[in-house]
Amino acid sequence: MASGSQPWGALLLLPLLLPAACRAGSGCVGEGGPLEPFDALYATGVQAYYGGDFAGAARCLERALRSRRELRDTRLRCRRLCLGQVRLAAPGPGAGGDLPFFSSVLGRAGCVRRCEEPRLGAASRHRAAEEVRADFQRRVPYSYLQRAYIQLNKLEEAANAAHTFFMANPEHMEIQQDIENYKNTAGKVSLIDREAKQHMEDYSAGVKHYDKEEYELAIDFLESALKGYYSEDEDCQIMCEGPQRFEEHEYLEYKAGLYEAIADHYMQVLACKHDCVRELATRSGRISPIENFLPLHYDYLQFAYYRVGDYVKALECAKSYLLFHPDDEDVLENASYYKGLLEGTMDPDTVKPRKEAKMLLRRHKLESHLLQVAAAGLGYTYTEPNYWNRYGARQDEHSVPSSISSEPEEGPRLFLAKKPMPKSDRELKEGGPLLYSDVKFVYNSQQLNGTQRVLLDNVISEEQCRELHRVASGIMLAGDGYRGKTSPHTPNERFEGATVLKALKYGYEGRVPLKSARLFYDISEKARRIVESYFMLNSTLYFSYTHLVCRTALSGQQERRNDLSHPIHADNCLLDPEANECWKEPPAYTFRDYSALLYMNADFEGGEFIFTEMDAKTVTASIKPKCGRMISFSSGGENPHGVKAVTKGQRCAVALWFTLDPLYRELERIQADEVIAMLDQEHLGPSEMNINPKDEL
C-alpha cells in the first residue's frame, strides 16, 4: 500500500522522438548504425502492447532487452580496452608536475569515447530516466512480454518471461500457478531465468550438491561460482566508473573548485566500487544480500575438499576463509586439524590463502579507509557496512547443518549462529474505544490471524460514500500521487488519485462543491481519531500521507490475469520474502507507524484486500471492500498485505498512513489545516458531517 512509486509516465513521450519505423504497428528499427536507446524501444513496446499490436510489442521489448545488454557490454569492452592501452601516469614534483597524470586521464577519456561512439553514438542518447532503469531492474519488461506472448500463443516464451519476472518479483503470488498452467498446456517447458547471474546459479547448485553430500559436484560448482564471482567483481568495478549523480547539487549551479569537484565525483565512484561486494551477493529482486556470501564459498569448499581427501585444498580454503574472519574458532580448529593430516608429507605452512581473496580484501580495506578519510575531512556522511557478517541467520533451503554427525569429535565442523528475533519498538495494545456510536466493530487481530489489525464497518454512511465518490470523479488525475504513473502496480488497471489539499483547493475555486471537498478532510480526521483510540496509543498520531485512490479494470485486459492490483508489501520496510525479513531502511517509508484503508464502494469484481505471512504467499486474511468498511493495522513487517486484481469495474478508497513522529507530518495536511482555518474565518462553516465523538463505546 506504500505510495510514492517511481514514475514512468514520461516514458510514453519517447516514441514521438523516434523514427516512424519504430512506432507501434510498424515494428522496430532494423539492425545497423548506432545502438538504439533501450528506453525508447521499451516505450515503443509498451505503446504497441496497449495498442493491441502484440507482435510489435514483443519485437520491441526483446530489442530493448538486447539493447540494454549490448550497451553494458560495449561500455565494459571499451573501458577495459582503454584501461590496458592508456596507463595513468604518476604525478611528478614541482609546478606542472600534475600534468602527466591529467594528460593520461584525458587520454583515457578520449580512448573510451572513440571506442564507444561508433556503436553507441552520442552518450546523451543512452541516459535513461531513473524510473525506466528501475523498471528494468525489477524486470517489468518481462511482465509485458509474458502477456504479449500469450496473445501470440507462444506459450514457452511466455512461460520463460513469466519465470524471469517472478524470480525478481516473488510477491506476485498468483504467477506460480500461472507457470503451472503453462506446463500443463505447453507440455514440458524449461523455465529459463533469462536474467540469471551465473555465479549465483553456480553457488546455489554447489550448495545443493553439498547438502546431498555430493562433494565432488559441489566442488565443481563452487569453484565455478568463485571464478564467476571474481569476473563479475571486475566488471562491477569498471561499470562504477560511469556517470554518477551529485546528490546535493544541481549541475548547472555547481560551483566547487577543481579538487573538490574531483573528490565529489571520485568518492561516489569509490562508494559504488566498495558496494560491489553487496551487489554480487544479492539475488535478483531481493533487497538484502546473502550474508557472508564470498567467505561462505571457501567455508563450504574447505569441508568438501576434506571429504574427498584433498587436504591441501581444504587447508587452502580454510585459510582463505580466515582472511575474512580470523577469529572464527571453528574454522581455526578445522585448519589445525588439516595441518595435522598433512604433517609428515609436506610442510603445512607452505599452503597459503588464495591470491584473489587476499587481493580483494586488501583493496576492500583500502577503499574503506579512503571513504572514512573523506567522511572525516570532506564532510561526507559514511558508515561502513558489515559486508561479511557471519552471525546472520540464513533462513533458506541452503542453511548449513549445525554439526556433521558422521564425523568423529576431532573432525572439522561447520555451523552458523542464529541471530535473535527483533523486538517491537513500542508496547502493542488494542481494544480501545471506537469513539463513534455508529461505527461497528467486526474483527480484531486474533480474528484476522495477525498482530495489530482491526476491521470496522459503518465508519461513513452510504450517502457519504456516494458524495465522496462524486468528489473523486471531479478531482482525481491518472497517476496522481505516483508522479503521473497511470498504472504503478499493474498494466491491467488505471490508477487515479487525489490529495486532501487538492480537494479543498478545487472546492474553494468552485470546481467541486466545497461541502463535498471538506467531507474528504473530515472523514480522514475521523479515521485518524479511531485508529489512535483503538490501538490505545499514548502519543499523538499524525497524518503521514492521505490519498483518495481509485483502481479501474481496463477492458480487454482481464483474461488470464496472474498479477495483483497491488503486490504484497509492508508499509514501512522492504519485504524480503526469501529471507523472511522486512528491512527497515530507505527507500521504504520507515517513519510510518499505522495504516488504514476506508472503502467507498463494493460494485466491482476482485479487489480483495489480503494479509499474508512474510513469505508473501500464505494468505492469513482476506477482506472484501464495501462502503464504510475500514481496515487498519500497524505498518511494519508483521503485516504484509496487498490487493487482488480488480477484474471489472472501479474500486475506490481513502488510503491513510500515520506516524508517531511529528517530524514526518504530512506537509499537505498542515496546509489543508490552514485552509480549513481560513474557511472558518470566512464563515464558510464546516461540513454538515458530524465528526465529534459521542457515546464512547
Side-chain angles (χ1 to χ4, degrees):
M1 201 170 71
S3 177
S5 293
Q6 293 295 330
W8 70 278
L11 186 66
L12 296 178
L13 298 177
L14 285 171
L16 302 178
L17 307 177
L18 299 177
C22 194
R23 294 181 186 165
S26 301
C28 298
V29 171
E31 299 286 354
L35 185 68
E36 298 161 84
F38 72 88
D39 56 341
L41 288 165
Y42 177 42
T44 306
V46 172
Q47 187 184 48
Y49 174 86
Y50 283 117
D53 178 12
F54 299 111
R59 197 160 50 245
C60 285
L61 290 167
E62 291 285 10
R63 289 290 302 279
L65 292 164
R66 288 199 300 272
S67 175
R68 182 170 176 263
R69 284 192 291 269
E70 188 172 344
L71 174 65
R72 184 177 189 271
D73 291 345
T74 299
R75 286 174 171 167
L76 272 173
R77 176 176 55 81
C78 289
R79 291 173 192 175
R80 189 178 286 114
L81 174 72
C82 295
L83 184 68
Q85 287 187 353
V86 184
R87 299 291 182 181
L88 296 181
D98 57 352
L99 291 177
F101 171 74
F102 284 111
S103 175
S104 59
V105 169
L106 295 173
R108 183 175 291 182
C111 174
V112 171
R113 176 160 293 189
R114 288 191 301 273
C115 178
E116 289 184 352
E117 277 190 345
R119 184 62 185 127
L120 302 185
S124 60
R125 298 177 73 244
H126 301 284
R127 290 174 184 163
E130 182 179 352
E131 57 269 23
V132 178
R133 296 197 302 271
D135 273 4
F136 277 78
Q137 185 70 24
R138 291 167 40 235
R139 303 187 181 183
V140 173
Y142 287 99
S143 178
Y144 287 107
L145 266 179
Q146 178 206 7
R147 293 171 178 81
Y149 280 134
I150 290 173
Q151 297 295 328
L152 298 171
N153 201 32
K154 295 184 176 181
L155 298 186
E156 184 165 356
E157 289 88 342
N160 287 334
H163 179 68
T164 303
F165 177 74
F166 179 71
M167 294 305 292
N169 297 273
E171 73 277 5
H172 282 253
M173 51 188 262
E174 293 167 299
I175 203 169
Q176 269 189 323
Q177 181 58 50
D178 202 66
I179 292 172
E180 291 299 319
N181 293 339
Y182 289 135
K183 291 179 181 179
N184 296 333
T185 304
K188 185 178 180 181
V189 291
S190 53
L191 291 182
I192 297 170
D193 180 359
R194 294 175 49 183
E195 298 286 339
K197 299 178 180 179
Q198 191 57 51
H199 76 280
M200 192 70 76
E201 296 291 299
D202 288 340
Y203 171 80
S204 297
V207 173
K208 288 177 181 177
H209 286 299
Y210 179 95
D211 289 341
K212 294 178 182 178
E213 300 186 4
E214 299 169 347
Y215 296 109
E216 290 184 350
L217 286 171
I219 289 168
D220 289 342
F221 279 102
L222 288 168
E223 290 287 13
S224 178
L226 274 175
K227 183 178 179 181
Y229 180 96
Y230 286 108
S231 176
E232 287 292 327
D233 177 68
E234 181 181 334
D235 289 351
C236 182
Q237 296 279 313
I238 292 172
M239 289 304 294
C240 282
E241 295 176 358
Q244 298 291 330
R245 291 181 299 169
F246 287 70
E247 301 286 356
E248 299 179 3
H249 306 285
E250 290 292 335
Y251 178 74
L252 293 178
E253 299 175 359
Y254 192 60
K255 303 299 183 183
L258 172 65
Y259 294 104
E260 289 87 352
I262 292 174
D264 264 352
H265 190 89
Y266 179 69
M267 297 317 295
Q268 292 182 69
V269 170
L270 187 63
C272 174
K273 290 186 173 185
H274 196 57
D275 207 47
C276 284
V277 168
R278 180 185 300 277
E279 174 70 21
L280 268 60
T282 305
R283 295 187 180 97
S284 297
R286 305 304 190 266
I287 301 302
S288 57
I290 298 174
E291 291 181 335
N292 206 26
F293 181 64
L294 178 58
L296 276 175
H297 287 70
Y298 296 109
D299 202 4
Y300 280 120
L301 280 170
Q302 58 98 6
F303 195 84
Y305 275 121
Y306 163 74
R307 293 303 296 264
V308 300
D310 193 336
Y311 307 135
V312 173
K313 291 284 189 182
L315 180 57
E316 176 187 71
C317 291
K319 287 186 174 182
S320 299
Y321 180 88
L322 290 169
L323 291 173
F324 301 91
H325 303 300
D327 59 344
D328 189 302
E329 294 181 0
D330 299 295
V331 180
L332 283 168
E333 186 177 321
N334 289 357
S336 178
Y337 181 78
Y338 301 145
K339 288 180 181 179
L341 294 174
L342 291 172
E343 285 178 355
T345 60
M346 63 173 298
D347 181 3
D349 291 336
T350 62
V351 179
K352 304 295 183 183
R354 295 195 178 178
K355 291 182 180 179
E356 64 271 19
K358 290 182 67 175
M359 291 174 61
L360 183 142
L361 194 57
R362 186 184 304 118
R363 185 198 76 210
H364 196 73
K365 288 179 178 178
L366 181 56
E367 291 168 350
S368 177
H369 173 71
L370 288 176
L371 287 165
Q372 290 169 9
V373 167
L378 300 176
Y380 288 91
T381 300
Y382 178 75
T383 302
E384 175 73 5
N386 190 342
Y387 288 97
W388 295 304
N389 178 13
R390 75 177 187 272
Y391 299 111
R394 297 189 308 157
Q395 300 176 6
D396 57 22
E397 70 276 17
H398 302 154
S399 59
V400 183
S402 60
S403 64
I404 308 299
S405 58
S406 60
E407 289 303 308
E409 285 296 316
E410 66 272 14
R413 294 174 293 142
L414 182 63
F415 66 89
L416 295 174
K418 299 290 183 183
K419 62 183 175 184
M421 293 297 290
K423 295 182 179 179
S424 173
D425 55 0
R426 63 178 178 272
E427 185 180 1
L428 302 180
K429 298 179 181 179
E430 64 176 291
L434 298 179
L435 301 182
Y436 302 86
S437 59
D438 50 347
V439 176
K440 178 183 177 183
F441 171 82
V442 182
Y443 293 133
N444 60 19
S445 294
Q446 184 177 4
Q447 293 164 317
L448 290 169
N449 300 314
T451 301
Q452 294 280 277
R453 302 174 180 178
V454 64
L455 183 65
L456 306 171
D457 279 345
N458 299 339
V459 175
I460 57 176
S461 68
E462 291 281 352
E463 180 183 350
Q464 290 162 352
C465 284
R466 288 191 295 270
E467 184 66 19
L468 199 58
H469 203 280
R470 284 194 291 270
V471 172
S473 63
I475 65 175
M476 288 193 307
L477 292 177
D480 194 23
Y482 284 79
R483 302 182 189 176
K485 191 169 182 179
T486 56
S487 299
H489 306 303
T490 170
N492 300 303
E493 298 171 18
R494 185 177 72 255
F495 181 94
E496 299 166 295
T499 63
V500 166
L501 185 62
K502 182 179 178 181
L504 290 174
K505 180 176 180 290
Y506 275 34
Y508 189 73
E509 294 172 351
R511 299 163 73 173
V512 296
L514 181 57
K515 185 185 76 170
S516 302
R518 181 156 180 172
L519 176 64
F520 182 12
Y521 176 92
D522 289 342
I523 66 166
S524 58
E525 172 60 21
K526 181 179 182 181
R528 186 198 66 80
R529 290 177 57 86
I530 293 171
V531 172
E532 184 182 76
S533 177
Y534 178 81
F535 289 113
M536 305 172 71
L537 302 177
N538 56 11
S539 59
T540 302
L541 194 63
Y542 301 96
F543 288 97
S544 167
Y545 192 57
T546 313
H547 203 202
L548 182 61
V549 296
C550 290
R551 306 167 188 272
T552 307
L554 296 179
S555 59
Q557 294 182 207
Q558 302 307 316
E559 293 184 7
R560 297 177 60 87
R561 290 241 350 228
N562 61 7
D563 62 333
L564 298 178
S565 176
H566 198 149
I568 305 300
H569 64 285
D571 285 342
N572 72 9
C573 53
L574 304 172
L575 190 64
D576 187 348
E578 184 160 336
N580 204 37
E581 289 277 8
C582 202
W583 307 99
K584 203 164 184 179
E585 58 190 38
Y589 300 94
T590 56
F591 47 84
R592 290 178 175 172
D593 293 298
Y594 284 88
S595 309
L597 278 165
L598 176 57
Y599 298 109
M600 295 159 48
N601 65 315
D603 54 341
F604 55 88
E605 294 181 7
E608 293 88 351
F609 177 94
I610 54 175
F611 287 113
T612 74
E613 299 285 4
M614 206 174 284
D615 62 5
K617 299 177 183 178
T618 306
V619 176
T620 57
S622 179
I623 293 103
K624 179 67 177 175
K626 69 174 184 177
C627 167
R629 172 163 286 179
M630 185 172 82
I631 180 73
S632 183
F633 48 93
S634 55
S635 303
E638 67 277 5
N639 282 317
H641 59 277
V643 179
K644 288 189 175 182
V646 179
T647 56
K648 185 177 181 180
Q650 184 183 67
R651 175 191 191 271
C652 294
V654 176
L656 303 140
W657 294 270
F658 307 104
T659 179
L660 293 167
D661 189 341
L663 291 176
Y664 293 100
R665 293 176 65 187
E666 180 182 12
L667 177 60
E668 286 206 6
R669 189 75 192 194
I670 297 173
Q671 295 171 325
D673 292 340
E674 295 171 352
V675 172
I676 291 295
M678 180 189 69
L679 294 177
D680 288 344
Q681 287 176 359
E682 294 179 2
H683 307 292
L684 297 177
S687 72
E688 294 178 3
M689 174 183 179
N690 179 12
I691 67 161
N692 295 319
K694 60 182 181 180
D695 302 330
E696 288 192 0
L697 300 179

